[in-house]
Amino acid sequence: MTIINFTPWTALIGGILIGTAGLLLLWLNGRMAGISGIFGSVMSTDQSANGWRILFVLGLIGGGFIWAIAGGDVAAIKIEAGLPELIGAGLLVGFGTQLGSGCTSGHGVCGISRLSPRGIISTLFYMGAGALTVFVIRHVVGA
Amino acid sequence: MGEKLTGLIAGIVFGIGLSVAGMVNPAKIVGFLDFFGEWDPSLAFVMGGAVAVYAIGYQLVMKNAKPLFADAFQVPSRRDIDVRLITGAVLFGAGWGLAGYCPGPAITGLAFGMQQTMIFFASMAAGVVIFKFTMGAKS
């Protein structure tokens, strides 16, 4: 194993911002910052209490804009997956996060922080499945 | 009003965090998941930073009787490990490894106008809708 492209400082600062955003949502609104849960509610037929959720999703996009305008290195973003992989992966992520009630933010950040057994188990399984998928693509199929 | 403004500000800070952290770059995510090849450990630092802040803050915030703009804290109480939790995590993880996108970065990434991000996002939204039509009522 060799280590490449390691960016510990920006990773740590970004992580601190993510944790802070999650805390704002908890302290002020009493809500978990679970993005798949929030997105799932935005995609539902009942929009009666979704005002803050829609603004949160728009804010996520706005945050990307602000980073890009402030000089973020957009050109460094690389998407290696082709069209069929992108479509298949999107379906898996959309369906899987709803079935499993969470993703990297809700089960990962919030769940692990609260020592939630569901969050910790979910994180072990999605990390494991992700690593296995990359192993198969890069070292079995792509070898 | 306060609840909505909080949603917007938390979303913006979260989106900047995902961008600064490099989570919006699928190549970096795949690089982290490639434990058996050339490994990029950055994502462990993103998770570490976020968990450190949230874990400490959670203890402080939950000392309050209620949140500022709502009547009660809505914190998940379930602790059971069921088949749906694990199956969902495995499907999500497979998709995450395949494209390098989890839901947050796929939404924030729309800001950068790349066609592949939009295709992934549309497909993810379709996956959510398919779930709601097939299995949503059971949850």
Side-chain angles (χ1 to χ4, degrees):
Chain A
M1 190 182 77
T2 41
I3 287 182
I4 57 157
N5 301 332
F6 187 31
T7 51
W9 291 109
T10 46
L12 198 60
I13 293 164
I16 289 168
L17 287 171
I18 291 168
T20 305
L23 275 183
L24 277 175
L25 214 52
L26 182 73
W27 176 45
L28 300 173
N29 286 3
R31 296 284 182 167
M32 291 282 121
I35 293 180
S36 51
I38 291 171
F39 184 64
S41 295
V42 168
M43 295 291 294
S44 80
T45 45
D46 177 17
Q47 294 293 333
S48 53
N50 268 352
W52 70 271
R53 292 190 181 89
I54 292 165
L55 287 164
F56 180 84
V57 169
L58 292 175
L60 282 176
I61 304 173
F65 271 120
I66 291 169
W67 175 73
I69 291 165
D73 191 2
V74 176
I77 298 173
K78 296 258 179 312
I79 305 169
E80 291 159 7
L83 186 63
E85 289 91 344
L86 286 169
I87 292 172
L91 290 171
L92 284 167
V93 170
F95 189 91
T97 53
Q98 299 305 307
L99 181 66
S101 317
C103 60
T104 343
S105 49
H107 278 320
V109 175
C110 300
I112 292 174
S113 297
R114 301 168 54 235
L115 297 176
S116 151
R118 283 172 63 83
I120 293 166
I121 294 290
S122 168
T123 301
L124 288 174
F125 275 91
Y126 69 68
M127 287 260 178
L132 185 66
T133 304
V134 171
F135 180 76
V136 170
I137 292 172
R138 283 203 171 167
H139 306 295
V140 179
V141 180
Chain B
M1 182 62 206
E3 196 184 33
K4 287 180 180 160
L5 191 63
T6 302
L8 181 66
I9 291 168
I12 290 171
V13 175
F14 209 117
I16 294 173
L18 289 172
S19 304
V20 170
M23 293 288 295
V24 292
N25 187 353
K28 249 185 129 47
I29 303 301
V30 175
F32 170 77
L33 291 171
D34 192 5
F35 295 102
F36 304 100
E38 292 179 320
W39 189 46
D40 176 1
S42 308
L43 179 52
F45 279 61
V46 182
M47 201 55 134
V51 166
V53 169
Y54 197 88
I56 296 166
Y58 182 82
Q59 300 301 327
L60 298 174
V61 166
M62 294 308 279
K63 287 188 201 299
N64 298 315
K66 64 186 205 63
L68 218 57
F69 300 134
D71 297 329
F73 288 107
Q74 303 208 17
V75 174
S77 55
R78 282 181 67 179
R79 299 177 67 83
D80 60 305
I81 309 298
D82 61 346
V83 178
R84 288 173 78 117
L85 179 82
I86 291 176
T87 313
V90 169
L91 296 177
F92 160 46
W96 193 36
L98 198 55
Y101 269 129
C102 53
I107 296 170
T108 296
L110 293 174
F112 312 129
M114 295 168 79
Q115 209 176 6
Q116 295 112 304
T117 317
M118 294 176 197
I119 291 165
F120 179 90
F121 175 82
S123 185
M124 178 175 86
V128 172
V129 172
I130 291 169
F131 173 82
K132 287 184 186 293
F133 274 106
T134 54
M135 308 184 69
K138 289 181 203 159
S139 64

